[in-house]
Structures are given as C-alpha cells and as structure tokens.
Amino acid sequence: TSRAVVAEKVVESVCPFCGVGCQTEISVKDNRIIKVDGRDGPANRNRLCVKGRFGFDYVLSPERLTRPLVRREDAPKRADASMTFADIPSVFREATWEEALERAAKGFTRILETRGSPALCGFGSAKGTNEEAYLFQKLIRQGFGTNNVDHCTRLCHASSVAALIEGVGSGAVSAPFTAVEDADCIIIIGARPAQNHPVAATFFKAAAKRGAKLIVMDPRRQGLMRYATHPVVFTPGRDVALLNAMLNVIITEDLVDRQYVQANVDGYEALAAKVMEFTPEAMAEVCGVPAETIRDIARAYATAERSIIFWGMGISQHVHGTDNSRALIALSLITGQVGRDGTGLHPLRGQNNVQGASDAGLIPMLYPDYKSVEDPDVRAHYEDAWGRALDPVTGLTVVEIMDAVEAGRINGMYVMGENPAMSDPDQNHARSALARLDHLVVQDIFLTETAWFADVILPASAQAEKWGTTTNTNRQVQMNRAAIAPPGEARQDWELIVALANGIGLDWRYGGVDEVYAEMASHMHSLDNITWERIDREHAVTYPSAGPDLPGADIIFREAFPTPTGRARLVPTDLVPPDEMPDADYPLVLTTGRLLEHWHTGAMTRRSAALDAQEPEAIVAMHPRDIGEGGLTPGQKVRVETRRGAITLTLRADRDVTPGMIFIPFCFNEAAANFLTNPKLDPFGKIPEFKYCAARLGPAA
Ligand code: SF4
C-alpha cells in the first residue's frame, strides 16, 4: 500500500517569510499542513526557496501559544536564553479571554487617564496583513491618542523610504524585480538576494546568463558575485565614497542624459558641483575599489540602454543610510534610468508585508498612503472619519520609544507580532526598557523574548490560519487565505485589535476582515480600483491600477513623478563616517544580517525543525586568515565584545567575510547579536547602524 499522505484540500495562499511574496499551494490533512508547493504568482512563477517550501512546520510547533496568559504578581520581568517553555507556569498563569482582554484594556485605560496619550505606544508588525496594520495604527491613533506607532520598517528600509519620498515622491519600488528580464545592466548593492530574497535571486542569475551586465557591490563577498560581470567588494561604511565617485565619472565624462534631466529633474547643478571633489582617484583608497573599476561600473550603468538598481539593508542600516539611497537615486535620475521598461529603483523589501504595513500607516509620521500626520487637512480627514481629535505631532520611532520608556516617559506598550527584545540595537538597553514598562501587552503566536516581559499575552494566528492581504516588494497586493484553524483558543489578530479597541471605549464594528480592507482602501488612493473581491479573483493586483479591469502599473514614473511639481529632486551627499570606527581596543568591524535558513529574529524559523536542522547554532563568521593570525580554530567557542555587551558563539571560517570584519546573524536568541550593535540613528530615517560597529573577538573563557 502507498504510504503517501493524501491532502484533503489545497489552499492557494502566499509565503509568510520574505518580501518576494511567492504564491503557494498549501496541502492540508486533519487541520495540519502536509506540504507547500509554489504556484504561478507574478513574483515566483512556481518557484519557492527552502523557507517557503520546507519552513511551514513552525505553524505546527508544540510551542504555539494556545491560551491567553497573564503575569503572576510575584514574577520578575526578565528574559534570557535560559528561559524555556517549562518556565511558563512560574511566570504566567492561564486566563480566560474575558480576563485577559479586560486586563489588557484596563492597563491602557489606567495609563491614559493618569499619564495621558504620550505615555502609550504600539509596535505593529510587517508580518501581519494590511488589514491588521491599518487597524493597529488606527487603534493607537484613535484610541491611545498618539502617533507613537511604528514597526520594523524602522529597522530596515526607513532611510530608503525617506530618500525616495524626498527625491521621487514615493517610497515604493519604481519597477518589480522581474523587470531585470528587460534590463541590460543591473546593480545590486548592499543586498544578498541569494540568502534574503532567494527567488528574486533566480531572476538576477537568469538575467546575467542571458547577457545582462551584473554589478554586485558589497563589503562581503557572496555567491551571486560568481554570476557578476563586475563583482565589487568595497570597504564597509564607505558607500557614499563609491557612489559619489561613480556620479563624478558620469558627469565628467558627459554620460548624463541631459534631455531627461532638463525635463524631469531639479538640483542637477548642486549635485554636479558636490561630486567634483569625489574623483575616482581620490575615492579609490577610501572605498577600497580601484579607480579604473569605479570608471568601468559607472560607464556600464550609464551607457546601457536600460539599467536598474536594487539595494538592501547594507545600504539602509547606516547612520548615512539616507545619504546612500540619495546617491543611488541620483545615479538613476541623471542617467534617465527610471520610468522605462528594464529600468528603475528597487529597495528589496525584507518582510513579507513591510511594504503593505508602511502603506497602511504603521509609522509615526504618516497616515495611510504616506500622508503627513502634521498636515492639518489630512488630520481633519481622519478626525472626521474617526470621530475624535487626533495627535497633531509626529510620534516617536522604535529606538526613540525605547529611550522614552527607559526615561519613564512611556509606560504602556502594545506589541503585535514584533520582537524588540531581539530586533532592537543595544539589547541591554532595550530589555531594561521593556522591564520598566508598567503595562505590556504582547500579541503573538509564540512566547517570544519580548513576550517574557509582558503583563498580558494574547495568542494569535499564523499566516496560514487567516485571511488578509499583503503587499510584496513589487507593489503586488496579494490574497492570503486560511488553510487551517488556529490551535487551541488562539484567535485572529484583527479580531483581537478590535476587542482591545472596544475594551478601551471605542465602538468598532466590522463584519469581517473584508470590511476592514474596504475601510482602509477608502482612505488610500493607491488602492483605487483594487477591491477585496478583485484581489481574491486575480490573487495579486499591482498598485496603482488605473481601472477595475486594467492591470496595475508595473513601471511607474513613466510620465512624471508624484511630487507637487511632477519633477524629481537630486540631493547631494557628503561623506559621513560610520558612528563607531575600529580602534586599538575594538579593532574589528562587526556587521549583522540574516542567513538563508533563518528569518529575522528566528521566532518562526528556529521553531521549524526542517530549517533549524540546517543552521542550529549561533555562529560568528570570520575570514580564515584572521582566524589563523589570531591563533584561533574554526569550531571553537569565542567571545565577541563591543562597548555595549558581549556574547559567546561558535567561530566559523568564511572566505566571504573580508579580513578585518566579522559577521553575526541576528536570529540566535542564545547569543543575540543585538546585544552588541550600535543604536546610533540615521538622522533622517531614524534607522540604527546595524551594519557597522567596532568589536573585538577572543577565545571564550
Ligand atoms: Fe518565501 Fe521569500 Fe523564499 Fe519566496 S523567496 S519562498 S517569499 S522566503
């Protein structure tokens, strides 16, 4: 007899991990996922990576939260790697939904009445749906009365979005990554798509095989460089030196598309004057790239008929992250490499719904569709819609909120699906702040490191257990469909937000998540002509869409930019060094990032047996030459220390890591990389410098 398990049903949904947004077919039997296959979505065309195909078993983990929990009165607030599921009874007790929701709401009401709106805040999630993001920011703004609402975009592409809105009037990508099929030259900088956007990487590799020029620029080597016509390893933190030198070449060699600039772009003269000092010869030593290579890649990009730029956290997570993006935007604008097939600007979005959560207003300075909270007309619109006066001042960002908590100015926090006790920089500071909160409500599917600090924990749903829309890196709004029921008493996230809103005195009534979508879309012109029914019927619709029957626009900025003048704006950049340079005490450069097998803080993938078996251990990667010179041995335990903390990990030899650098993935809670990282912020995007700080490494005691 056959031992194959036969599915009872197959549900069409979307991968929960990265911003590529691969469409999936989830096979189900006995309310359990038995396999996941790819289907023919616009971003994946039947492909899936290891996470999408094999990482689904986190949903079935015995560590799923199945009943509400409340903190025992005598339990101290702390979280460390030694705490396990077995510790739950000594820290929390189970509660009914009625008790948990009442306690959650009363805690917020008490702070609201005694300390006022500025003492409250919320962290939403880029892993939730658009509808959840919309409801969450609405609750914080309408119910808490503050704009202190943010999410992990602050830790990934906030600086890119700041530069894009300033330069071209829109924070979203101008072209999907599939546009590489029409491109003659592709720049990928500060991104490692083979690890972090693996299905997108297959399109990049195919384009290179077809003959497109592929310029891969990164401070660490990577496998994708084997496909590159121009692999460029540069000095970490010196992006602006390299990019301004490329701009210098394009301007001095008259490779500028003057007609395009004249018709569409402001600020050219100031940019040209600024980059004159950034000659390739002067910058070669600064950025570690020979002058002739800088000339080669500048010419390749500028003279190709169609060129496109992709970037990731290596660009954005710096104190000069906004400047890095400004320089990339300048490259595309002065060469007219935007607004046509095969051209464009594409910050590769990390989380599955970081684009949608940002679009839906889960950010402290902007309502849905990137409308300023300080614009009186916009505020009047929402005051009219929501029936109460709204906070006229920009709220605090993720790291600023933690500082305010530590200073005692914020006392209550609602966290939905985020894990600041792993994701924020300088964890000693972040965890000390979480421990100070008078009232913390965490809504999640697992007892995350953050949940250990909570007063009330609300068990929620995994993506495979709920309906809702998410928006991928390509601006494709896609339908996620529930394949299985949540475990135990766990409930839908959107229903929990509504319950909390009503618990603090609002009167929210939604008949279903589709009604939430309809309300959200009524406030967002970007979703004009994109109804819930249409997304369900077509599975994915790209925004903007000019008509209910017209396909969405893959390429934007064809005619003009969505700025008040219709023109784009160049912003010259200076060379700003990393905040913390190596010195005699801390001689190494520490950079952090992700692994192919693990997703962000590891809350999901560390609980996937299939994925954790591939990368089960906290590691620090170092070049073999540095290992040898340090008298160390791969596989031994080492201690890595910065001015903020120290952790112990296993040493891994890795030739991709440049001598003088070390790399630590931030997914391992037993040795959380963010105990080490620098919280210093980019002044525009307010993003911390995760990609660079000074460190030292030695044998563990
Ligand atoms: Fe999921 Fe991203 Fe992998 Fe696609 S590339 S299967 S969206 S993790």
Side-chain angles (χ1 to χ4, degrees):
T1 57
S2 167
R3 298 181 62 188
V5 179
V6 178
E8 290 163 352
K9 63 175 178 179
V10 175
V11 177
E12 295 175 313
S13 197
V14 182
C15 175
F17 291 107
C18 89
V20 170
C22 296
Q23 291 192 356
T24 55
E25 277 183 357
I26 305 176
S27 295
V28 176
K29 181 172 170 46
D30 298 332
N31 199 42
R32 293 177 71 83
I33 299 172
I34 55 174
K35 69 168 178 154
V36 174
D37 294 302
R39 64 189 165 107
D40 194 14
N44 66 312
R45 303 190 198 151
N46 300 306
R47 306 167 207 184
L48 291 179
C49 80
V50 65
K51 289 189 285 287
R53 189 174 296 281
F54 300 113
F56 62 83
D57 55 336
Y58 77 92
V59 177
L60 311 172
S61 165
E63 292 189 26
R64 284 290 301 273
L65 295 170
T66 57
R67 292 199 67 188
L69 300 171
V70 295
R71 174 172 294 275
R72 291 184 181 280
E73 281 65 24
D74 56 347
K77 288 196 175 188
R78 71 179 181 92
D80 58 52
S82 70
M83 300 180 82
T84 70
F85 221 53
D87 292 312
I88 288 179
S90 62
V91 182
F92 302 105
R93 65 172 172 78
E94 292 187 344
T96 63
W97 271 112
E98 291 69 26
E99 183 193 1
L101 285 170
E102 188 182 323
R103 194 155 154 174
K106 272 193 173 158
F108 292 132
T109 307
R110 191 181 63 245
I111 292 170
L112 206 49
E113 289 169 354
T114 54
R115 305 289 311 271
S117 295
L120 291 175
C121 68
F123 290 157
S125 176
K127 296 226 77 62
T129 63
N130 290 324
E131 295 74 29
E132 290 158 5
Y134 171 78
L135 285 182
F136 192 89
Q137 61 87 38
K138 180 179 172 183
L139 169 67
I140 303 300
R141 293 190 157 116
Q142 185 193 21
F144 287 5
T146 172
N147 289 312
N148 293 337
V149 59
D150 210 353
H151 76 294
C152 68
T153 192
R154 195 67 41 211
L155 308 176
C156 61
H157 266 307
S159 49
S160 310
V161 171
L164 285 164
I165 289 178
E166 166 193 80
V168 297
S170 164
V173 301
S174 78
F177 60 73
T178 45
V180 294
E181 293 177 328
D182 299 318
D184 303 303
C185 179
I186 302 157
I187 285 181
I188 298 171
I189 180 166
R192 302 173 76 80
Q195 281 75 40
N196 303 326
H197 303 84
V199 167
T202 66
F203 287 85
F204 301 146
K205 291 173 186 172
K209 285 183 177 172
R210 170 177 57 75
K213 288 183 177 158
L214 179 62
I215 302 167
V216 181
M217 302 196 267
D218 201 78
R220 283 191 289 150
R221 297 196 68 78
Q222 55 178 292
L224 198 59
M225 286 183 177
R226 286 204 300 275
Y227 294 79
T229 49
H230 301 76
V232 179
V233 177
F234 63 93
T235 306
R238 296 308 190 179
D239 316 64
V240 166
L242 173 57
L243 298 172
N244 272 1
M246 291 175 68
L247 288 165
N248 175 291
V249 172
I250 291 167
I251 289 170
T252 55
E253 296 190 5
D254 201 17
L255 305 177
V256 174
D257 185 339
R258 290 187 177 277
Q259 210 175 346
Y260 183 84
V261 170
Q262 201 164 18
N264 298 288
V265 183
D266 291 329
Y268 176 75
E269 298 306 330
L271 178 90
K274 167 55 70 181
V275 300
M276 280 309 107
E277 65 197 79
F278 289 83
T279 64
E281 286 69 25
M283 290 301 108
E285 199 171 331
V286 180
C287 67
V289 180
E292 209 38 50
T293 303
I294 297 174
R295 292 188 192 285
D296 282 350
I297 57 178
R299 290 169 187 152
Y301 175 78
T303 60
E305 176 63 24
R306 290 162 298 192
S307 293
I308 187 166
I309 301 175
F310 297 87
W311 71 95
M313 311 287 94
I315 283 291
S316 60
Q317 289 176 334
H318 285 284
V319 290
H320 47 85
T322 305
D323 284 344
N324 291 347
S325 294
R326 286 170 172 157
L328 292 171
I329 293 165
L331 275 175
S332 84
L333 290 176
I334 67 167
T335 54
Q337 298 286 17
V338 68
R340 294 178 288 120
D341 292 350
T343 69
L345 291 161
H346 189 126
L348 283 157
R349 308 310 297 258
Q351 297 268 13
N352 62 329
N353 197 36
V354 69
Q355 182 66 60
S358 302
D359 295 345
L362 206 56
I363 28 187
M365 56 290 280
L366 299 166
Y367 286 112
D369 256 359
Y370 304 93
K371 299 284 190 287
S372 170
V373 296
E374 298 194 349
D375 181 326
D377 293 339
V378 175
R379 196 165 58 252
H381 166 86
Y382 282 101
E383 287 178 341
D384 189 41
W386 296 346
R388 67 168 54 183
L390 297 171
D391 184 2
V393 181
T394 286
L396 299 177
T397 59
V398 165
V399 175
E400 291 171 335
I401 283 174
M402 287 307 193
D403 290 343
V405 173
E406 185 75 5
R409 297 195 305 276
I410 286 182
N411 317 101
M413 182 185 286
Y414 177 22
V415 177
M416 176 186 74
E418 289 262 295
N419 194 9
M422 281 289 287
S423 61
D424 281 19
D426 190 4
Q427 274 297 309
N428 282 317
H429 169 71
R431 294 187 184 199
S432 143
L434 287 169
R436 282 185 60 110
L437 282 164
D438 291 341
H439 188 59
L440 172 62
V441 176
V442 172
Q443 178 174 316
D444 212 306
I445 62 173
F446 291 116
L447 197 72
T448 60
E449 292 70 21
T450 304
W452 283 108
F453 293 96
D455 297 280
V456 181
I457 300 173
L458 308 176
S461 300
Q463 183 168 321
E465 296 157 358
K466 60 190 171 191
W467 280 74
T469 63
T470 50
T471 306
N472 70 359
T473 190
N474 289 342
R475 288 184 273 108
Q476 289 150 347
V477 189
Q478 309 202 87
M479 186 59 76
N480 301 262
R481 300 178 182 85
I484 56 175
E489 297 178 20
R491 287 174 59 176
Q492 300 282 311
D493 288 85
W494 77 269
E495 290 177 352
L496 294 176
I497 306 168
V498 171
L500 264 179
N502 290 333
I504 62 170
L506 300 174
D507 182 22
W508 284 11
R509 293 162 202 268
Y510 297 99
V513 70
D514 54 331
E515 289 185 13
V516 180
Y517 178 87
E519 179 182 309
M520 174 181 72
S522 75
H523 296 300
M524 296 173 65
H525 281 308
S526 63
L527 297 178
D528 285 352
N529 302 306
I530 305 178
T531 61
W532 175 272
E533 293 72 22
R534 180 179 177 189
I535 302 167
D536 192 25
R537 190 172 62 246
E538 299 181 19
H539 302 278
V541 184
T542 302
Y543 77 76
S545 172
D549 302 317
L550 295 173
D554 276 350
I555 310 288
I556 55 175
F557 312 151
R558 281 189 192 275
E559 307 293 333
F561 293 93
T563 58
T565 60
R567 294 169 67 82
R569 181 176 153 218
L570 294 164
V571 181
T573 58
D574 263 317
L575 197 54
V576 176
D579 178 64
E580 190 183 66
M581 300 295 285
D583 55 22
D585 288 337
Y586 296 92
L588 298 167
V589 174
L590 164 66
T591 191
T592 64
R594 288 167 283 184
L595 297 170
L596 168 63
E597 294 80 3
H598 284 305
W599 188 250
H600 281 219
T601 68
M604 294 154 67
T605 52
R606 295 296 310 276
R607 292 173 171 96
S608 160
L611 296 176
D612 201 48
Q614 302 294 315
E615 283 286 1
E617 184 178 37
I619 58 106
V620 51
M622 191 179 207
H623 194 276
R625 195 191 79 189
D626 285 354
I627 292 178
E629 287 179 358
L632 301 163
T633 310
Q636 81 173 88
K637 292 284 182 200
V638 291
R639 175 182 160 92
V640 180
E641 197 177 343
T642 68
R643 290 187 172 85
R644 290 154 296 279
I647 55 176
T648 299
L649 320 92
T650 300
L651 183 61
R652 175 179 290 176
D654 186 345
R655 290 183 188 281
D656 283 352
V657 181
T658 311
M661 286 182 83
I662 51 174
F663 165 71
I664 303 179
F666 63 91
C667 57
F668 296 106
N669 63 349
E670 63 272 39
N674 282 322
F675 278 107
L676 309 176
T677 46
N678 186 354
K680 183 76 176 175
L681 303 181
D682 169 281
F684 306 99
K686 304 285 180 77
I687 190 168
E689 191 154 60
F690 288 118
K691 286 287 185 263
Y692 197 112
C693 71
R696 62 185 174 216
L697 181 152

